[in-house]
Amino acid sequence: AAAAAGRGLRGPPGMAGRRWRSGAGSPERAAAERAPRIYTRTGDSGFSSTFTGERRPKGDRIFEALGATDELSSAIGLASEFSSEKGHTFVDQLHKVQCMLQDVGSNLATPLSSAREAHLKRTSFSEKPVLELEQWIDSYSEQLPPLRAFILPSGGRSSAALHFSRAVCRRAERCVVPLVQAGEADPNVAKYLNRLSDYLFVLARYAAMKEGKEEKIYIKPEP
C-alpha cells in the first residue's frame, strides 16, 4: 500500500527535467509518455516496501493484513453497488467505511517498530471511528426484530453481499490482531475491524428487512 501510494508521485523513467516541444508528436503519444506507469518492478524479487522504508518479503504478515483489508474494501464495494440499486440510504456509510479502510491500510503499512514521529503523525488511527460504528450499530439494532436463531447468509443480494463482507472483515481482523500483539499496529485498528464486522452483520439483517426478503435460519439436519 505504501509503495502503491508513492507511484503517483513519480514521473516516468527518463522524463525528469525534459521539456515538451510544441508539435513534437501526437497529443495521444505525448499523454501516454507523460502518464506514470502502474508497475514499478520493485516487487519482482518477492519483496515490497512499508511506508517507513523497510523492505520485507511479500509473505510478511503486514502485507497479508494489507491484502485482507484491500479485499474487504472490494467486498464492501460490491455490497454497496447492490445496495445502491435498491435505494438503501446506508450506502453513504459504506463509502465512509471504505475511506476508513484506506486509513487502516496506512496504519498497517507503518510498523510501529520502525516508525518515526513524522510517520506516526500521518498514519495514526484514533478511537473516534470505532465509536461512530457503535452508534450506527445501535441505531439499526433498535429497528430489527429479535434474533432468535442462527442466521445464514441470505436475504437478497444486498444482504448476502454484506454477510460476505462481514466474513472477510473477520479474516482481516485475524490478520491484524497478531500485528497489534507484536506492537506493530495501533490497537484501535483491530477494534475498528471488530466493530465493523458487527456493523456489517446488523446492516445485512437491516437490508433484508427493508427489502422484504426472508432471512434463512440454521435448521439442524435430522440424524
Side-chain angles (χ1 to χ4, degrees), residues 147-159:
L147 190 62
R148 302 187 186 282
F150 187 87
I151 300 295
L152 302 175
S154 56
R157 291 201 302 177
S158 301
S159 178

Side-chain angles (χ1 to χ4, degrees), residues 48-214:
S48 192
S49 298
T50 67
F51 180 54
T52 59
E54 288 184 78
R55 296 288 291 173
R56 295 195 181 194
K58 288 189 174 182
D60 189 276
R61 56 188 179 185
I62 284 182
F63 299 121
E64 184 178 1
L66 284 169
T69 303
D70 184 33
E71 187 177 346
L72 172 57
S73 182
S74 298
I76 290 176
L78 181 62
S80 179
E81 290 300 313
F82 287 152
S83 301
S84 180
E85 291 173 0
K86 293 296 184 179
H88 288 298
T89 57
F90 56 72
V91 169
D92 288 342
Q93 290 181 352
L94 293 178
H95 178 251
K96 188 171 185 179
V97 166
Q98 286 182 293
C99 291
M100 290 306 307
L101 289 176
Q102 289 295 113
D103 292 339
V104 166
S106 295
N107 187 273
L108 296 176
T110 311
L112 299 180
S113 60
S114 60
R116 298 190 299 273
E117 188 62 31
H119 294 134
L120 298 176
K121 187 175 181 180
R122 293 184 61 183
T123 63
S124 63
F125 198 90
S126 74
E127 193 180 17
K128 183 177 178 181
V130 179
L131 299 177
E132 183 175 50
L133 282 177
E134 290 179 349
Q135 292 174 355
W136 292 350
I137 292 169
D138 292 342
S139 175
Y140 290 118
S141 296
E142 291 172 357
Q143 304 175 58
L144 291 172
L147 190 62
R148 302 187 186 282
F150 187 87
I151 300 295
L152 302 175
S154 56
R157 291 201 302 177
S158 301
S159 178
L162 288 165
H163 276 297
F164 177 73
S165 299
R166 170 189 55 78
V168 178
C169 186
R170 286 294 192 193
R171 176 156 55 82
E173 182 189 2
R174 290 194 298 271
C175 291
V176 168
V177 167
L179 295 176
V180 173
Q181 293 173 338
E184 294 276 44
D186 193 310
N188 284 324
V189 169
K191 289 181 183 178
Y192 183 79
L193 293 173
N194 183 272
R195 295 299 186 280
L196 180 57
S197 62
D198 293 336
Y199 165 75
L200 292 169
F201 175 75
V202 170
L203 200 62
R205 298 198 64 215
Y206 179 81
M209 182 188 72
K210 295 295 285 186
E211 294 179 23
K213 302 287 187 178
E214 181 183 2

